[in-house]
Amino acid sequence: MAEFLESDSRKLLGRLRDTMADQSAGQTRLDQITALTAETMGTDVCSIYLFRDAETLELCATKGLNKDAVHETRMRLGEGLVGRVARDNKVINTPDAPSERGFRYMPETGEEVYSSFLGVPIQRLGEQLGVLIVQSKDQHEFSDDQVYALEVVAMVLAEMAELGAFVGEGAALSALHTRPVSFKGRTGQEGAAMGHVWLHEPRVVVTNPVADNPENERIRLREAVDSLRLSVDELLEAANSDEEQKGVLEAYRMFAHSKGWLRRMEEGIARGLSAEAAVEKEQSLARSRMEQATDQYLRDRLHDIDDLSNKLLRILTGQGAQTGSEMPDDPILVARNLGPGELLEYGRKLRAVVLEEGSVGSHAAIVARALAIPLVIHADRITNEALNGDPIMVDGDDGVVHLRPDDTVSSAFRDKLAMRVEAQERFASIRETLCASQCGQRVELHMNAGLMADLPSLQNSGAEGVGLFRTELQFLIRNQMPKRSELSATYERVLNAAGEKRVVFRTLDIGSDKVLPYLKPQEEPNPALGWRAIRVGLDKPGVMRMQLQALMRAANGRPLTIMFPFIAQYEEFARAREEVDKTLARESRLGHAVPATLEIGAMLETPSLAFSTNRFFEEVDFLSIGGNDLKQFFFAADRENERVRRRYDTLNVSFLTFLEGIVKRCNETETRLSFCGEDAGRPIEALCLAAIGLRSLSMRPASIGPVKNLIMQCDLNEIYGVIEHVRKTGGQSVRPALMAFLKHRGYRT
Ligand code: PEP
Ligand code: MG
């Protein structure tokens, strides 16, 4: 066989471009591509197999095999050599196909025994579309140049598919981005919404994968890389004093300056690709490696390449963020990942947010919760599929997203939304009513907050006060440590908005999952059990003192309530209270107004505190159970670990019995008690908490309606009866019996 040269590769791409420019229908184009590829590469056969669904490949065009087999021959993922290329996303190059493991002979294709086989995946940025193969009768292995050339053809095919080049009469490939697709991710914030896609960073569209003047393309690429390097250097300079950030950026810069990366892109250009297509080819490679890499360090570095490639593509195409399109009226934000600041900037106008990455405890999730925006995380590959303006439905309860839904999905979803609206109306009708059970027990319902975005909820949720103000959120959403004056102004706004309502300010609770971007993260073997919350506050009291001062100045003579997080023993509380006393004395000395009343409480988040001495219970002004942490320590199950975090039910009788013990001690010592973990906002859980004597619950604002609605229908003595019954009969969780009871009574949750 004649040697295959770089110039042949360019010729092949040139002819491909002509095919693209031609106005013929999709199938004709595919046929032309197989013919010219076989001819230029000097092979007997060239075939294109495309995915029909996630598991099936279909022969869609061929030169050399029986044409009747087109659209007839199908194979499963992993079946035969073609199926293996697709499954493993790897090239197969063999001189003797029939002797390969998994070879499948397909008589319907009229396939004679073709010995040599070269198959490459057709993919665009990690999104697999099919397999492109060439075959020959004579036995030989294909050269590296030929493999490269076929990969480039496959890539151009994928680009053309992206541009809709194969749609039309007898289309081999329905247009990408037109089919309905559903994504199964995870819940970041409950709620349901429908609307239209708004991409945080729209995908860059490469309209010119093939170029005929390599020199021009090389110059364009070099200029773009120079400007990219400059911007990375600037980033590095800006981070001059931050060692941690610098370390990350250094690795980033190393890639931007990598000669290998540039060389590989230039090779693509030499073979006829445009500068953009050459960048994208390397990016695709990085993405597929990223999917296979198990090592986190390697994944992070491949992520860097991906990120740099995106930047480079934006420089080359001039396609910036969201130019030329307008945000729809009902935007649903779709992004790979998002910082809390960015989400706050979009604010409440978003109907929902869908992320490819993210985590339940991420700052973006915290902000989404504060804004009550449904959030789905881990919606794998959605940024590949979604286009600006696509219709989209988001079910935050189940972590499901329907993109371009068909009529059946759409109407089922609308029913779900209608039911939600009906429930919301029910909740709104009792908003101004104070919560009391059928047996006449008052249950106070407060809200959790932490951002200015939460403040409107003080009025429209029916909350009786703020049971937990997470002050760390103000620290987490900033790029640098806030100043005392800034904090004081923030707290003042909160107190003004609350008016007569009580606000419980919890002092800084950092560490574990809450890492301040501007503080050096601690390398700890077990951060949840590590240097966090009050432990940091007492060891490094500077920030806590500043915060206490800011709180007192914000109160400016009004009542003030302060709560310390994560108190594990009396001494920690005593020392924290001492800090308050000192601050109070200093403020007074400086002539500032001191709070009219000052309540100092503690969060009960470790089992140890439940067994503290009576002295502690008597001295503390109030206690609030931080159920999220308390439950993780009670069951020894990390609240951040997906594998175990839902393993143990809050309604487990052991846990309820433990909580009831705390209620009892508080009653005996006349200590005011509340509960402010996430469980307080779940109606069934809240009902049980109220039944065992927790008569003050603090939750996210959107939960107040549903919780009040259920408690008001119930007699807490009866609910307690159900708990007692399960305890006596040896059940593990109260839930099944309670659900049966509520159903029997016809209570609406
Ligand atoms: C808790 O642990 O229950 C709690 C309310 O605190 P956070 O969730 O902020 O740790
Ligand atoms: Mg906690």
Side-chain angles (χ1 to χ4, degrees):
M1 177 189 250
E3 202 189 342
F4 191 82
L5 304 168
E6 219 169 68
S7 56
D8 293 321
S9 174
R10 270 209 301 282
K11 196 161 74 198
L12 178 54
L13 284 193
R15 293 177 69 185
L16 268 179
R17 192 193 34 208
D18 297 344
T19 314
M20 262 173 8
D22 186 357
Q23 291 305 312
S24 7
Q27 184 66 49
T28 317
R29 283 181 162 161
L30 285 175
D31 291 341
Q32 285 169 353
I33 291 170
T34 50
L36 66 90
T37 306
E39 188 191 324
T40 320
M41 292 191 57
T43 58
D44 299 318
V45 175
C46 174
S47 309
I48 295 172
Y49 293 81
L50 295 173
F51 275 105
R52 266 290 154 237
D53 55 54
E55 291 289 316
T56 322
L57 286 151
E58 180 178 305
L59 176 65
C60 286
T62 184
K63 162 78 181 129
L65 298 185
N66 184 356
K67 293 271 183 210
D68 292 341
V70 171
H71 299 308
E72 296 297 329
T73 290
R74 292 187 174 192
M75 60 194 61
R76 312 277 303 158
L77 190 67
E79 186 186 1
L81 296 190
V82 173
R84 248 175 68 196
V85 173
R87 185 196 59 203
D88 302 340
N89 202 11
K90 278 205 187 114
V91 175
I92 293 183
N93 178 7
T94 168
D96 187 10
S99 68
E100 282 286 320
R101 183 169 45 90
F103 174 79
R104 191 192 119 184
Y105 176 65
M106 294 171 294
E108 73 276 18
T109 60
E111 187 174 29
E112 298 172 45
V113 182
Y114 291 109
S115 209
S116 336
F117 174 102
L118 171 61
V120 302
I122 305 173
Q123 55 160 327
R124 182 179 188 274
L125 300 182
E127 179 183 19
Q128 284 202 44
L129 301 170
V131 176
L132 173 67
I133 64 158
V134 287
Q135 293 171 283
S136 278
K137 279 185 201 144
D138 56 337
Q139 257 199 23
H140 68 273
E141 193 161 324
F142 290 90
S143 70
D144 287 351
D145 281 335
Q146 282 176 311
V147 175
Y148 196 98
L150 200 67
E151 280 185 318
V152 167
V153 173
M155 184 193 151
V156 174
L157 262 172
E159 289 299 332
M160 290 166 78
E162 169 80 17
L163 296 171
F166 306 122
V167 193
E169 199 53 32
L173 184 68
S174 61
L176 278 171
H177 315 300
T178 59
R179 282 167 297 193
V181 201
S182 294
F183 298 86
K184 177 77 188 93
R186 280 172 39 202
T187 301
Q189 155 74 10
E190 287 90 359
M194 53 192 278
H196 291 88
V197 169
W198 181 249
L199 289 165
H200 179 54
E201 283 194 320
R203 46 203 285 134
V204 176
V205 185
V206 175
T207 49
N208 59 334
V210 182
D212 43 22
N213 186 337
E215 203 36 49
N216 266 357
E217 297 306 301
R218 223 187 321 268
I219 293 169
R220 288 181 62 229
L221 179 69
R222 291 236 164 186
E223 282 175 0
V225 168
D226 282 347
S227 117
L228 174 78
R229 287 175 178 171
L230 210 64
S231 70
V232 175
D233 289 348
E234 278 167 11
L235 270 180
L236 203 60
E237 255 169 55
N240 55 3
S241 60
D242 183 336
E243 286 306 316
E244 278 302 314
Q245 210 185 353
K246 245 169 121 173
V248 175
L249 284 172
E250 284 289 2
Y252 201 68
R253 183 166 75 160
M254 205 179 75
F255 275 111
H257 285 262
S258 148
K259 290 205 175 66
W261 187 46
L262 184 61
R263 194 195 59 240
R264 287 194 302 275
M265 291 190 289
E266 288 189 337
E267 273 168 18
I269 289 175
R271 287 178 155 88
L273 290 182
S274 66
E276 290 87 340
V279 175
E280 226 181 61
K281 186 166 188 306
E282 279 308 302
Q283 189 177 16
S284 279
L285 206 68
R287 284 227 180 144
S288 58
R289 284 211 201 111
M290 196 150 62
E291 259 159 38
Q292 279 150 18
T294 45
D295 176 64
Q296 189 55 40
Y297 179 79
L298 189 62
R299 284 178 66 88
D300 286 349
R301 298 291 74 84
L302 290 165
H303 211 286
D304 284 350
I305 299 195
D306 195 55
D307 216 41
L308 286 167
S309 305
N310 274 336
K311 288 200 166 71
L312 207 48
L313 282 173
R314 285 184 201 288
I315 298 172
L316 280 165
T317 58
Q319 292 171 29
Q322 302 291 15
T323 42
S325 46
E326 271 202 21
M327 190 186 267
D329 294 338
D330 48 8
I332 290 188
L333 192 77
V334 174
R336 292 190 79 169
N337 214 343
L338 203 64
E342 289 166 317
L343 186 48
L344 274 173
E345 252 171 57
Y346 283 109
R348 281 181 207 277
K349 58 179 173 274
L350 298 178
R351 294 245 172 130
V353 177
V354 183
L355 301 180
E356 280 189 6
E357 297 171 5
S359 72
V360 182
S362 70
H363 306 153
I366 293 170
V367 174
R369 244 165 258 153
L371 298 172
I373 297 174
L375 167 69
V376 171
I377 56 174
H378 295 189
D380 213 15
R381 289 169 185 273
I382 191 162
T383 59
N384 277 345
E385 267 292 347
L387 291 185
N388 266 342
D390 278 347
I392 182 169
M393 295 177 158
V394 177
D395 181 343
D397 302 348
D398 297 333
V400 173
V401 179
H402 305 287
L403 186 65
R404 303 179 289 266
D406 60 23
D407 291 348
T408 327
V409 169
S410 198
S411 81
F413 196 86
R414 278 171 209 275
D415 288 349
K416 183 171 176 148
L417 277 184
M419 273 165 62
R420 280 186 161 263
V421 169
E422 195 206 320
Q424 289 303 333
E425 282 166 3
R426 218 173 333 129
F427 304 151
S429 70
I430 52 170
R431 186 167 50 214
E432 304 305 327
T433 317
L434 289 177
C435 178
S437 64
Q438 285 294 318
C439 52
Q441 293 290 345
R442 264 284 278 131
V443 182
E444 286 179 31
L445 303 182
H446 299 262
M447 63 176 247
N448 294 345
L451 297 168
M452 292 303 106
D454 291 316
L455 298 186
S457 301
L458 263 164
Q459 309 311 327
N460 54 35
S461 69
E464 294 176 56
V466 177
L468 167 67
F469 190 90
R470 292 181 160 107
T471 60
E472 63 276 7
L473 298 194
Q474 293 300 327
F475 288 73
L476 285 166
I477 59 172
R478 285 180 164 79
N479 297 324
Q480 56 192 33
M481 184 74 83
K483 296 197 185 74
R484 187 185 57 207
S485 56
E486 287 170 342
L487 286 182
S488 164
T490 307
Y491 302 151
E492 194 179 338
R493 276 178 66 192
V494 177
L495 287 170
N496 291 347
E500 294 295 301
K501 294 178 179 174
R502 177 175 180 248
V503 180
V504 180
F505 287 100
R506 173 175 77 181
T507 61
L508 198 58
D509 180 11
I510 51 161
S512 191
D513 58 317
K514 297 169 192 157
V515 182
L516 296 187
Y518 39 84
L519 285 191
K520 192 171 184 298
Q522 299 296 314
E523 285 295 330
E524 292 187 296
N526 206 336
L529 305 176
W531 199 53
R532 51 178 294 199
I534 196 67
R535 301 172 183 176
V536 181
L538 292 176
D539 292 357
K540 295 241 182 269
V543 179
M544 190 160 96
R545 286 177 188 153
M546 166 185 76
Q547 210 187 4
L548 292 174
Q549 248 183 349
L551 282 167
M552 288 183 194
R553 294 204 185 163
N556 193 21
R558 289 178 281 187
L560 180 63
T561 309
I562 297 172
M563 175 162 78
F564 292 107
F566 216 68
I567 299 286
Q569 57 181 11
Y570 168 74
E571 175 258 4
E572 284 169 342
F573 174 71
R575 282 180 58 201
R577 196 181 45 188
E578 236 171 68
E579 289 293 340
V580 178
D581 290 343
K582 277 193 216 154
T583 310
L584 202 59
R586 198 174 320 118
E587 287 298 284
S588 181
R589 257 199 326 273
L590 291 172
H592 291 290
V594 292
T597 56
L598 184 57
E599 286 181 283
I600 308 171
M603 285 192 77
L604 195 156
E605 305 188 88
T606 59
S608 62
L609 201 64
F611 303 98
S612 187
T613 55
N614 273 358
R615 180 176 177 200
F616 166 71
F617 282 86
E618 279 154 13
E619 285 187 15
V620 72
D621 289 329
F622 64 93
L623 276 177
S624 189
I625 297 177
N628 306 335
D629 275 312
L630 188 63
K631 189 179 159 194
Q632 82 166 336
F633 298 124
F634 186 79
F635 288 111
D638 187 345
R639 63 193 261 195
E640 288 292 311
N641 182 337
E642 265 323 297
R643 282 221 170 111
V644 298
R645 75 186 191 94
R646 275 194 265 259
R647 205 174 177 103
Y648 305 98
D649 193 348
T650 304
L651 303 189
N652 179 304
V653 285
S654 316
F655 191 50
L656 287 181
T657 305
F658 176 56
L659 293 179
E660 205 181 342
I662 300 171
V663 172
K664 207 158 155 257
R665 287 209 69 186
C666 286
N667 287 343
E668 283 162 8
T669 51
E670 293 181 14
T671 310
R672 191 169 167 177
L673 177 67
S674 65
F675 186 105
C676 65
E678 294 301 310
D679 284 318
R682 301 191 174 105
I684 305 289
E685 281 80 342
L687 183 62
C688 283
L689 294 175
I692 60 167
L694 277 151
R695 299 292 154 76
S696 172
L697 305 173
S698 192
M699 62 201 75
R700 51 176 100 155
S703 297
I704 291 181
V707 166
K708 193 192 282 185
N709 173 57
L710 182 61
I711 293 180
M712 285 177 66
Q713 296 174 69
C714 296
D715 179 328
L716 295 181
N717 299 317
E718 283 184 349
I719 304 299
Y720 191 74
V722 176
I723 297 174
E724 275 291 81
H725 177 74
V726 177
R727 246 196 301 237
K728 284 204 185 97
T729 51
Q732 182 165 279
S733 166
V734 169
R735 194 175 302 272
L738 185 61
M739 294 309 281
F741 174 83
L742 296 178
K743 188 163 174 229
H744 176 69
R745 287 293 173 90
Y747 293 153
R748 299 217 286 175
T749 52

